[in-house]
Amino acid sequence: MKALVYRGPGKKQLEDVAKPGLREATDALVRMVKTTICGTDLHIVKGDLPEIEVGRVLGHEGIGIVEEAGTGVRCFREGDRVLISCITTCGKCENCRRGIPSHCEEGGWILGNKIDGTQAEFVRIPFADTSLYRIPENADEDAMVMLSDILPTGYECGVLNGAVKPGDTVAIIGAGPVGLSALMTTQFFAPANRLVIDLEDTRLEVAKKLGATAVINSSDGKAVEKVMALTGGKGVDVAIEAVGVAATFGLCQDIIGVGGHIANIGVHGASVTLHLEKLWSQNITITTRLVDAVTTSLLLRTVMAGRLQPNKLITHHFALEDILKAYDTFGNAGREHALKVILTNA
Amino acid sequence: MKALVYRGPGKKQLEDVAKPGLREATDALVRMVKTTICGTDLHIVKGDLPEIEVGRVLGHEGIGIVEEAGTGVRCFREGDRVLISCITTCGKCENCRRGIPSHCEEGGWILGNKIDGTQAEFVRIPFADTSLYRIPENADEDAMVMLSDILPTGYECGVLNGAVKPGDTVAIIGAGPVGLSALMTTQFFAPANRLVIDLEDTRLEVAKKLGATAVINSSDGKAVEKVMALTGGKGVDVAIEAVGVAATFGLCQDIIGVGGHIANIGVHGASVTLHLEKLWSQNITITTRLVDAVTTSLLLRTVMAGRLQPNKLITHHFALEDILKAYDTFGNAGREHALKVILTNA
Amino acid sequence: MKALVYRGPGKKQLEDVAKPGLREATDALVRMVKTTICGTDLHIVKGDLPEIEVGRVLGHEGIGIVEEAGTGVRCFREGDRVLISCITTCGKCENCRRGIPSHCEEGGWILGNKIDGTQAEFVRIPFADTSLYRIPENADEDAMVMLSDILPTGYECGVLNGAVKPGDTVAIIGAGPVGLSALMTTQFFAPANRLVIDLEDTRLEVAKKLGATAVINSSDGKAVEKVMALTGGKGVDVAIEAVGVAATFGLCQDIIGVGGHIANIGVHGASVTLHLEKLWSQNITITTRLVDAVTTSLLLRTVMAGRLQPNKLITHHFALEDILKAYDTFGNAGREHALKVILTNA
Amino acid sequence: MKALVYRGPGKKQLEDVAKPGLREATDALVRMVKTTICGTDLHIVKGDLPEIEVGRVLGHEGIGIVEEAGTGVRCFREGDRVLISCITTCGKCENCRRGIPSHCEEGGWILGNKIDGTQAEFVRIPFADTSLYRIPENADEDAMVMLSDILPTGYECGVLNGAVKPGDTVAIIGAGPVGLSALMTTQFFAPANRLVIDLEDTRLEVAKKLGATAVINSSDGKAVEKVMALTGGKGVDVAIEAVGVAATFGLCQDIIGVGGHIANIGVHGASVTLHLEKLWSQNITITTRLVDAVTTSLLLRTVMAGRLQPNKLITHHFALEDILKAYDTFGNAGREHALKVILTNA
């Protein structure tokens, strides 16, 4: 079958590889229908995650059709149309039981990481019963792909961890797909003000359409000043970091108000400075989280009820066989005005 | 009247100063019965808090008798025996209403800071109705002094912010009076393991008596290793920082388990390094807090019910007129084996 | 001054009574600008609340201008435009401190009940600092009147006590002003389905405009059947009772799903049957609450941010001197298609 | 094998029945080591649960050794010593995912109810991975049996649903095994006062030993009066109903304070009167719950840490073959001074 294979730092190829088979009774084999590319995939290809083995099929998002289900799989059978969660969940270990399947003893984020992933014609899904979701009949398939990772990521790591409340002022730093997912889902809790901060005006334009009440281009170095002006000097109730660098985490510290929450979503490659000499007395909460995908059912229900339009995050479509072109487009998101790309396995 | 007055960096004196009077209808004048010295007072005297004016009477803890109550005071009258909260609370501003009186617009920590404090024969207490607590008849007066600051500090900033749950493993870093207050009150939530880490064995001995299930002297640089051995390599559920330096905050990051809480109590004078490159994916919560003293009533009730023995934190007694000697003792806590000192105004 | 006075069961009059004055240092005297009539006022006039003294000036809602503030009032002064909370809050007693000012030792619901109320040219407001709210400059005055009682009542007793979550199915029983307030504010939490049940189609039409996703006229006795059909037999996540009779509380029990919440808002005059023989194992939560008005600031902010349009609840306007006519209209709400009426003191 | 079989209302027999075998890949077969009898078993034998089929092997509690594990079982294998939860949990359905496995689509309370149970030499356990718990090496086996049902029942339905907080006054109505389990576990949250109310002095004596701070024999009809005297007329913060009849639920309503919680544990056979005419304004929460057994791991850890001594609830021991005698003893608990009985399969 065709698959996008990591071939070491800077290298990836569309290759013919062996079609996977079931290994455990609780596995399912899924024929991919649609997948996408995540910012994390770009990091892997660059070589930023050296623990990933050369030869790995990438990808941890997508939808497909069950081709075969193991004897221990009770909820799905051949022909079922399914959403693949980026988090594989055994449902049995201590971390799964306490609501942290991102740190599942045998699962977690393993697709396209520790085992072969979804940017392929077929994928083996361990613990299928607890790692797949049935797709309703009249669902928009493109929209479903957004539920594999970025919507739960924005919602869980940003909005829920940020403890957004009605009437709050929320600032989202970074208007990429995940930041915009946080922007969309933060509206579940009716914050009065939703500020979005980014370096690119085109992304900020999208943010306005998706519900930002004010946007700030931070390239002039005056973001703090502007946020303070918008909040009467009080700072924000919730700052959601959706970039993953020291400067943006620093910005969160500069704009957070007394009693506020800083919810980190960004994947950080280096340590940051925490200004405890200022924050120790400010009654601040800082959270980190690898998405647990425990809200996938809820988000699915919300999409089906028409309250979320995740396909607004999709800018480009490709055939799976054109995945290298799709990587180019997504890898130059600024120039291409790209948010999420959809790859279809015809 | 006699009062301990800050006279600039490195200088303090017991002086005769004018007895304070009421300024607002909501003030009360309190004749001090007992007070104590806080680690913060030592910082002030050293000159670490330059915003504090020379001439300020220090102290933000203690109990006394109401000498005079303003016309707007409804809950207290002359002769009432009262506990003075270290946090002055107007009860009306937005921060008070949302449970953060530490950031009260007109109050907060102002005693011995922005206005004259409690290390004196008399003190003026603004917003008396919401900043004083009636002392029950059969209360132990020494114990009551511990309720002005350190018990609510350990409980709110450490235990409540740390979200301690039954069965948890909690590590408390720093076995000074505040760390020990966290140790005592963490037992309200039945954590299975209570580790206390400090550099001094005498303090660790006290910790054992106050409920530590294991103590670790970290002077050999092996605290992380030992905590990991005690937790089967998982780290702790809650790490309470009760020191206020980069090394101990770093230790918290090293021992925190997946999904854990780091609750900072320590007063930090410098920024620290936050290892987001490791923690971004660990589902961690970090909190800071200036004590709000919103649990004073509860703690008072708990002391009266015999569930807390705060006088176990008291090691020395002095007359108020010997306060300079008391500062010497408390300032050399290690050598003197001092925890809290009580000063009595005879 | 003119005031609407209760004269015993079935009797009320617009009378000339003495203008009130300040009694305590913490009182304010407010010149009424706008007031309204509550369903509770109708109950009082009927004689259903025998504890209310003959001669009492009724009314517990409205806005006005501060005419005089006591010496202990710090937040308001003559000329301030203020919103009057239906709950008088001392801010000092144990119940106020634990967030239940509805049971304030000296306050609670006392206006138009234990002391003279707002259906008059002037009203004395005890504990003014904690019982009044400043009205922003560009606020819609009619909208503000809805913040005195019905919006916090619908929100606190219905939505917050019902613990509405994103994706939930919520049923509101009773489409009067309070039920509709619950309907409006439940949307802060993005429930997927919002069912409204009432006996009158005109009210259900309003409910549709205010966000109901389905409406059910229960006069045919088939409400349970219809709710079950709409929920795939599962019942609802949250049932909000906004009527106050046994039949509607019974309906809540019939439609509540496993793990659901029944939030009672209705004022009940008689006991009801609780079907514990069925519900004991259903993991149900039932709540009751007298509004605490602790969310008034939040709701005010939300109205000012344009997220709530409370004047959609207003159907009629009268001059204060025509209050008897207003009582007639409001007392025949069905025939008059009345929701809330506004009375203006010219 | 030997098993206790329900033979219709009033009839039960110790019979030789066929040894069960595996039916699904996710089943395990467990050889029973110890089991016990629950109050519910007595109800079944009386005929109170007509849905239970004649011929059913009773029992839903106990510990044993895995005899055989299905191919889909990953966490357990032959020879493992296991605790059997009274709640069978698939871990996959919507209710399991939202923390309500008591209403699991294929599981819930099925042992000794919809499928054959544990009062036998062998039992088939569906969804073994999520319905069994590994027993630590040095565990007290008798104590473990208490973790199958009564301890999680008292803790989840009583203490957690009652939202017990430090400093609270808690009343437990009914000092049988479940009420005493609530009494033991309520101490995880440091309530200041723990009142236990029952009709029998011998049970109240046990309650004193297990941590009651006051006991009330309600046979004189003065329980309300006494509770009010003990609480200064305020009533209790939490009332835990552990009987299941109208009178005791009524008592809860009579003694509950403003803002309090009534947590029902009792299995009710008939409806009760709810005094909404009094409670509508009292900010009360009432909860019901079938135990979910989601705290079993935590309780197990707590027992192993020495913080809970569940074997204090055990009064009698029998061999499994003497189970009819054990039913007699447990069925005459008052006369026999029986709490829990242990049956050992030699």
Side-chain angles (χ1 to χ4, degrees):
Chain A
M1 67 168 190
K2 295 282 182 200
L4 192 281
V5 180
Y6 172 59
R7 283 292 159 206
K11 295 184 212 148
K12 61 178 180 298
Q13 283 177 198
L14 184 64
E15 297 184 9
D16 270 308
V17 302
K19 179 178 163 184
L22 303 185
R23 294 193 191 171
E24 304 276 348
T26 46
D27 287 351
L29 182 69
V30 175
R31 178 162 51 82
M32 294 302 301
V33 172
K34 288 172 185 281
T35 186
T36 181
I37 307 171
C38 181
T40 311
D41 297 324
L42 299 181
H43 279 293
I44 295 172
V45 170
K46 277 187 200 150
D48 290 352
L49 287 85
E51 68 275 22
I52 296 197
E53 291 175 15
V54 171
R56 174 68 64 233
V57 176
L58 300 186
H60 50 268
E61 299 165 276
I63 64 167
I65 308 283
V66 174
E67 182 87 1
E68 191 185 352
T71 56
V73 175
R74 294 177 64 106
C75 305
F76 300 101
R77 58 178 60 191
E78 193 191 327
D80 284 348
R81 196 166 57 142
V82 291
L83 163 66
I84 299 165
S85 176
C86 66
I87 296 298
T88 301
T89 304
C90 81
K92 300 159 188 175
C93 71
E94 194 188 321
N95 282 332
C96 282
R97 281 173 192 260
R98 62 179 181 141
I100 315 185
S102 58
H103 294 270
C104 171
E105 282 172 21
E106 297 185 80
W109 171 42
I110 59 173
L111 286 174
N113 175 10
K114 296 180 182 168
I115 65 172
D116 286 339
T118 59
Q119 293 168 2
E121 291 181 73
F122 293 91
V123 64
R124 179 180 70 89
I125 302 294
F127 304 109
D129 276 341
T130 38
S131 307
L132 296 175
Y133 293 84
R134 188 176 306 280
I135 295 182
E137 284 223 354
N138 52 339
D140 173 330
E141 293 199 334
D142 285 5
M144 292 296 107
V145 179
M146 303 298 105
L147 291 171
S148 288
D149 180 348
I150 61 163
L151 274 171
T153 296
Y155 185 53
E156 295 177 6
C157 308
V159 176
L160 292 183
N161 269 19
V164 175
K165 300 182 308 298
D168 273 358
T169 294
V170 176
I172 295 166
I173 293 91
V178 169
L180 294 172
S181 293
L183 173 60
M184 290 170 83
T185 53
T186 198
Q187 295 169 64
F188 290 177
F189 297 103
N193 305 296
R194 299 174 292 275
L195 321 180
V196 178
I197 305 173
D198 199 291
L199 292 163
E200 295 193 32
D201 284 334
T202 46
R203 292 191 157 194
L204 293 174
E205 283 307 309
V206 179
K208 274 191 208 167
K209 285 177 194 148
L210 293 177
T213 58
V215 297
I216 296 173
N217 187 315
S218 56
S219 52
D220 62 1
K222 295 186 178 164
V224 176
E225 203 174 304
K226 287 173 181 170
V227 171
M228 286 303 164
L230 284 165
T231 57
K234 288 186 176 175
V236 302
D237 298 300
V238 183
I240 297 177
E241 209 279 357
V243 179
V245 301
T248 46
F249 193 80
L251 177 56
C252 291
Q253 298 180 58
D254 288 338
I255 64 174
I256 196 70
V258 162
H261 285 73
I262 298 175
N264 186 77
I265 312 179
V267 178
H268 289 259
S271 68
V272 302
T273 298
L274 179 64
H275 290 288
L276 276 185
E277 80 281 12
K278 172 195 157 200
L279 295 179
W280 75 268
S281 64
Q282 299 299 296
N283 299 37
I284 300 300
T285 301
I286 300 169
T287 54
T288 71
R289 187 171 185 177
L290 182 59
V291 62
D292 292 296
V294 288
T295 61
T296 308
S297 288
L298 158 68
L299 292 168
L300 182 51
R301 212 156 59 231
T302 310
V303 170
M304 297 311 295
R307 282 200 69 99
L308 263 187
Q309 281 80 33
N311 41 20
K312 290 189 177 167
L313 298 170
I314 300 166
T315 53
H316 295 75
H317 288 79
F318 297 89
L320 179 59
E321 59 195 13
D322 294 328
I323 189 166
L324 293 173
K325 208 185 300 176
Y327 262 86
D328 276 351
T329 299
F330 186 67
N332 291 285
R335 193 189 63 204
E336 302 284 349
H337 296 183
L339 291 168
K340 290 295 277 187
V341 304
I342 291 284
L343 294 149
T344 302
N345 181 24
Chain B
M1 66 167 192
K2 295 282 182 199
L4 192 282
V5 180
Y6 172 59
R7 283 293 160 204
K11 295 181 212 151
K12 63 180 180 295
Q13 285 177 198
L14 184 66
E15 297 182 10
D16 270 307
V17 302
K19 178 178 164 183
L22 304 185
R23 291 192 193 171
E24 304 276 348
T26 46
D27 288 352
L29 182 69
V30 175
R31 178 161 52 82
M32 294 302 302
V33 171
K34 287 172 186 279
T35 185
T36 182
I37 306 171
C38 181
T40 311
D41 296 324
L42 299 180
H43 280 293
I44 294 171
V45 169
K46 277 186 201 150
D48 290 351
L49 287 85
E51 69 274 21
I52 296 196
E53 291 175 15
V54 171
R56 175 68 63 233
V57 176
L58 299 185
H60 51 266
E61 298 165 278
I63 64 167
I65 309 283
V66 174
E67 182 88 0
E68 190 185 352
T71 56
V73 175
R74 294 175 65 106
C75 305
F76 300 100
R77 58 178 60 189
E78 194 190 326
D80 284 347
R81 198 166 56 144
V82 291
L83 163 66
I84 299 165
S85 176
C86 66
I87 296 298
T88 302
T89 304
C90 81
K92 299 159 188 176
C93 72
E94 195 186 321
N95 282 332
C96 282
R97 281 173 192 259
R98 63 181 180 138
I100 316 185
S102 60
H103 293 270
C104 171
E105 284 173 19
E106 298 184 80
W109 172 42
I110 58 173
L111 286 174
N113 176 8
K114 295 179 183 168
I115 65 171
D116 285 340
T118 58
Q119 292 169 2
E121 292 181 73
F122 293 91
V123 64
R124 179 180 70 90
I125 302 294
F127 303 108
D129 276 341
T130 39
S131 307
L132 295 175
Y133 293 83
R134 189 175 305 279
I135 296 182
E137 283 222 355
N138 52 338
D140 173 330
E141 293 199 334
D142 285 5
M144 292 295 108
V145 179
M146 303 298 105
L147 292 171
S148 288
D149 181 347
I150 61 165
L151 275 171
T153 296
Y155 185 53
E156 296 177 7
C157 308
V159 177
L160 293 184
N161 269 19
V164 175
K165 299 181 309 297
D168 274 359
T169 294
V170 176
I172 296 168
I173 295 91
V178 168
L180 294 172
S181 293
L183 173 61
M184 290 170 83
T185 54
T186 199
Q187 295 170 64
F188 290 177
F189 297 102
N193 304 297
R194 298 173 292 276
L195 322 180
V196 177
I197 304 173
D198 198 291
L199 293 163
E200 296 193 32
D201 284 334
T202 47
R203 292 192 157 195
L204 293 173
E205 283 307 309
V206 179
K208 273 192 210 168
K209 284 177 195 150
L210 293 177
T213 57
V215 297
I216 296 172
N217 188 315
S218 56
S219 51
D220 61 1
K222 295 187 179 166
V224 176
E225 202 175 306
K226 287 172 181 172
V227 171
M228 287 302 164
L230 284 166
T231 58
K234 288 187 178 178
V236 302
D237 298 300
V238 183
I240 297 177
E241 208 280 357
V243 180
V245 301
T248 46
F249 192 81
L251 176 56
C252 290
Q253 298 180 57
D254 288 339
I255 64 174
I256 197 70
V258 162
H261 285 73
I262 299 175
N264 185 77
I265 312 180
V267 178
H268 290 257
S271 66
V272 303
T273 298
L274 179 64
H275 289 288
L276 277 185
E277 80 282 10
K278 172 194 158 201
L279 296 179
W280 75 268
S281 64
Q282 299 300 296
N283 299 37
I284 300 300
T285 302
I286 301 169
T287 53
T288 70
R289 187 170 185 179
L290 181 60
V291 62
D292 292 296
V294 288
T295 60
T296 309
S297 287
L298 158 68
L299 292 167
L300 182 52
R301 213 157 57 231
T302 310
V303 169
M304 296 311 296
R307 281 199 70 98
L308 264 186
Q309 282 81 32
N311 42 20
K312 290 188 178 167
L313 298 170
I314 299 166
T315 53
H316 294 75
H317 288 78
F318 296 90
L320 179 60
E321 58 195 13
D322 293 328
I323 189 166
L324 292 174
K325 210 186 296 178
Y327 262 87
D328 276 351
T329 299
F330 185 67
N332 291 286
R335 192 188 65 204
E336 302 284 348
H337 296 184
L339 290 167
K340 289 295 277 187
V341 303
I342 291 284
L343 294 148
T344 303
N345 181 24
Chain C
M1 67 167 192
K2 296 282 180 198
L4 192 281
V5 180
Y6 172 59
R7 283 291 159 205
K11 295 183 212 152
K12 63 180 180 295
Q13 285 177 198
L14 184 66
E15 299 182 7
D16 269 306
V17 302
K19 180 178 162 183
L22 303 185
R23 292 190 193 173
E24 303 276 348
T26 46
D27 288 351
L29 182 69
V30 175
R31 179 162 51 83
M32 295 302 300
V33 171
K34 287 173 186 280
T35 186
T36 182
I37 306 171
C38 182
T40 311
D41 296 324
L42 300 181
H43 279 292
I44 295 172
V45 170
K46 277 187 202 151
D48 290 352
L49 288 85
E51 68 274 22
I52 296 197
E53 291 175 14
V54 171
R56 175 68 64 233
V57 176
L58 299 186
H60 51 266
E61 299 164 278
I63 64 167
I65 308 283
V66 175
E67 181 90 359
E68 190 185 352
T71 55
V73 175
R74 294 176 65 105
C75 305
F76 300 101
R77 59 178 59 190
E78 193 191 327
D80 284 348
R81 198 166 57 143
V82 292
L83 163 66
I84 299 165
S85 177
C86 66
I87 297 298
T88 302
T89 305
C90 81
K92 299 157 190 179
C93 71
E94 195 186 322
N95 282 332
C96 281
R97 281 172 191 259
R98 63 179 180 140
I100 315 184
S102 60
H103 293 269
C104 172
E105 284 172 19
E106 297 185 80
W109 171 42
I110 58 173
L111 286 173
N113 176 8
K114 296 178 184 169
I115 65 172
D116 286 339
T118 59
Q119 292 168 2
E121 292 181 72
F122 294 91
V123 64
R124 180 181 70 90
I125 302 293
F127 303 108
D129 276 340
T130 39
S131 307
L132 296 175
Y133 293 83
R134 188 176 305 280
I135 296 182
E137 283 222 355
N138 52 338
D140 173 329
E141 293 199 333
D142 285 4
M144 291 296 107
V145 178
M146 303 298 105
L147 292 170
S148 288
D149 180 348
I150 61 164
L151 275 171
T153 295
Y155 185 54
E156 296 177 7
C157 307
V159 177
L160 292 183
N161 268 20
V164 176
K165 299 181 309 297
D168 273 358
T169 293
V170 177
I172 295 168
I173 294 90
V178 168
L180 294 172
S181 293
L183 173 61
M184 291 170 83
T185 54
T186 200
Q187 296 170 63
F188 290 178
F189 297 103
N193 305 297
R194 298 174 293 276
L195 322 180
V196 177
I197 303 172
D198 199 290
L199 292 165
E200 295 194 30
D201 284 333
T202 47
R203 292 192 158 195
L204 292 173
E205 282 307 308
V206 179
K208 274 192 208 167
K209 286 179 194 147
L210 293 177
T213 58
V215 297
I216 295 173
N217 188 315
S218 55
S219 50
D220 62 2
K222 295 187 178 165
V224 176
E225 202 175 306
K226 287 173 182 171
V227 171
M228 287 303 164
L230 284 166
T231 59
K234 288 187 178 177
V236 302
D237 298 300
V238 183
I240 297 177
E241 207 280 357
V243 179
V245 300
T248 46
F249 193 80
L251 177 56
C252 290
Q253 297 180 59
D254 288 338
I255 64 174
I256 196 70
V258 162
H261 286 72
I262 298 175
N264 185 77
I265 312 179
V267 177
H268 290 258
S271 67
V272 303
T273 298
L274 179 64
H275 290 287
L276 277 185
E277 80 282 12
K278 171 193 157 201
L279 296 178
W280 75 268
S281 65
Q282 298 299 297
N283 299 36
I284 300 299
T285 302
I286 300 169
T287 53
T288 70
R289 186 170 185 179
L290 181 60
V291 62
D292 292 296
V294 287
T295 60
T296 309
S297 287
L298 159 67
L299 292 167
L300 182 52
R301 214 158 55 232
T302 311
V303 169
M304 296 310 295
R307 281 199 71 100
L308 264 185
Q309 282 81 32
N311 40 22
K312 291 188 177 166
L313 298 170
I314 300 167
T315 52
H316 295 74
H317 288 80
F318 297 89
L320 179 59
E321 58 195 13
D322 295 327
I323 189 166
L324 293 174
K325 209 186 299 178
Y327 262 87
D328 276 350
T329 299
F330 186 67
N332 290 287
R335 191 189 65 202
E336 302 284 347
H337 296 184
L339 291 167
K340 290 293 278 190
V341 303
I342 291 285
L343 295 148
T344 302
N345 181 23
Chain D
M1 65 169 192
K2 294 281 182 202
L4 191 282
V5 180
Y6 171 60
R7 282 291 159 206
K11 296 183 210 149
K12 60 179 181 295
Q13 284 177 197
L14 184 65
E15 298 184 7
D16 269 308
V17 302
K19 179 178 163 185
L22 302 185
R23 294 193 192 171
E24 304 277 348
T26 45
D27 287 351
L29 182 69
V30 175
R31 178 161 52 81
M32 294 303 300
V33 172
K34 286 172 186 280
T35 186
T36 182
I37 306 171
C38 182
T40 310
D41 297 324
L42 299 181
H43 279 292
I44 295 172
V45 170
K46 278 187 201 151
D48 291 351
L49 287 84
E51 68 274 22
I52 296 196
E53 292 175 13
V54 170
R56 176 68 64 233
V57 176
L58 299 186
H60 51 267
E61 299 165 277
I63 65 168
I65 309 283
V66 175
E67 182 89 358
E68 190 185 352
T71 56
V73 175
R74 295 176 64 105
C75 305
F76 300 100
R77 59 178 59 192
E78 192 189 330
D80 283 347
R81 196 166 58 144
V82 292
L83 164 65
I84 299 166
S85 177
C86 65
I87 296 298
T88 301
T89 305
C90 81
K92 300 159 189 176
C93 71
E94 195 187 322
N95 281 333
C96 281
R97 282 173 191 259
R98 62 179 181 141
I100 315 185
S102 58
H103 294 270
C104 172
E105 284 172 19
E106 298 185 80
W109 171 42
I110 57 174
L111 286 173
N113 175 10
K114 297 179 183 168
I115 65 172
D116 285 340
T118 58
Q119 292 169 4
E121 291 181 73
F122 294 90
V123 65
R124 179 181 69 90
I125 302 294
F127 304 108
D129 276 341
T130 38
S131 307
L132 296 175
Y133 293 83
R134 188 176 305 281
I135 295 183
E137 285 223 353
N138 51 338
D140 173 329
E141 293 198 334
D142 285 4
M144 291 296 108
V145 178
M146 303 297 107
L147 291 171
S148 288
D149 180 348
I150 61 162
L151 274 170
T153 295
Y155 186 53
E156 297 177 6
C157 308
V159 177
L160 292 184
N161 269 19
V164 176
K165 300 182 307 299
D168 273 358
T169 294
V170 177
I172 295 168
I173 294 89
V178 169
L180 293 172
S181 292
L183 173 61
M184 290 170 84
T185 54
T186 199
Q187 294 170 65
F188 290 178
F189 297 103
N193 305 298
R194 298 174 292 277
L195 321 180
V196 177
I197 304 172
D198 199 290
L199 293 164
E200 295 194 30
D201 284 334
T202 48
R203 292 193 156 194
L204 293 173
E205 283 307 308
V206 179
K208 274 192 207 168
K209 286 178 194 148
L210 293 178
T213 57
V215 297
I216 295 173
N217 188 314
S218 55
S219 51
D220 61 1
K222 295 187 179 164
V224 176
E225 201 174 308
K226 287 172 181 171
V227 171
M228 286 303 163
L230 284 165
T231 58
K234 287 187 178 176
V236 302
D237 298 300
V238 184
I240 297 178
E241 207 280 357
V243 179
V245 300
T248 48
F249 193 81
L251 177 56
C252 291
Q253 298 180 58
D254 288 338
I255 64 174
I256 195 70
V258 163
H261 286 71
I262 298 175
N264 185 78
I265 312 179
V267 178
H268 290 258
S271 66
V272 301
T273 299
L274 179 64
H275 290 288
L276 277 186
E277 81 281 13
K278 172 194 156 200
L279 295 178
W280 75 269
S281 64
Q282 299 300 295
N283 299 37
I284 300 300
T285 301
I286 299 168
T287 53
T288 71
R289 188 171 184 178
L290 182 59
V291 63
D292 292 296
V294 288
T295 61
T296 309
S297 287
L298 159 67
L299 292 168
L300 182 51
R301 212 157 58 233
T302 310
V303 169
M304 296 312 294
R307 281 200 70 99
L308 265 186
Q309 281 82 33
N311 40 21
K312 291 189 177 167
L313 299 170
I314 300 166
T315 52
H316 295 74
H317 288 79
F318 298 89
L320 179 59
E321 58 195 13
D322 294 328
I323 189 166
L324 293 173
K325 207 187 299 177
Y327 262 86
D328 276 351
T329 300
F330 186 67
N332 291 285
R335 191 189 64 203
E336 302 283 348
H337 295 185
L339 290 168
K340 290 294 278 187
V341 305
I342 291 284
L343 294 148
T344 303
N345 182 23

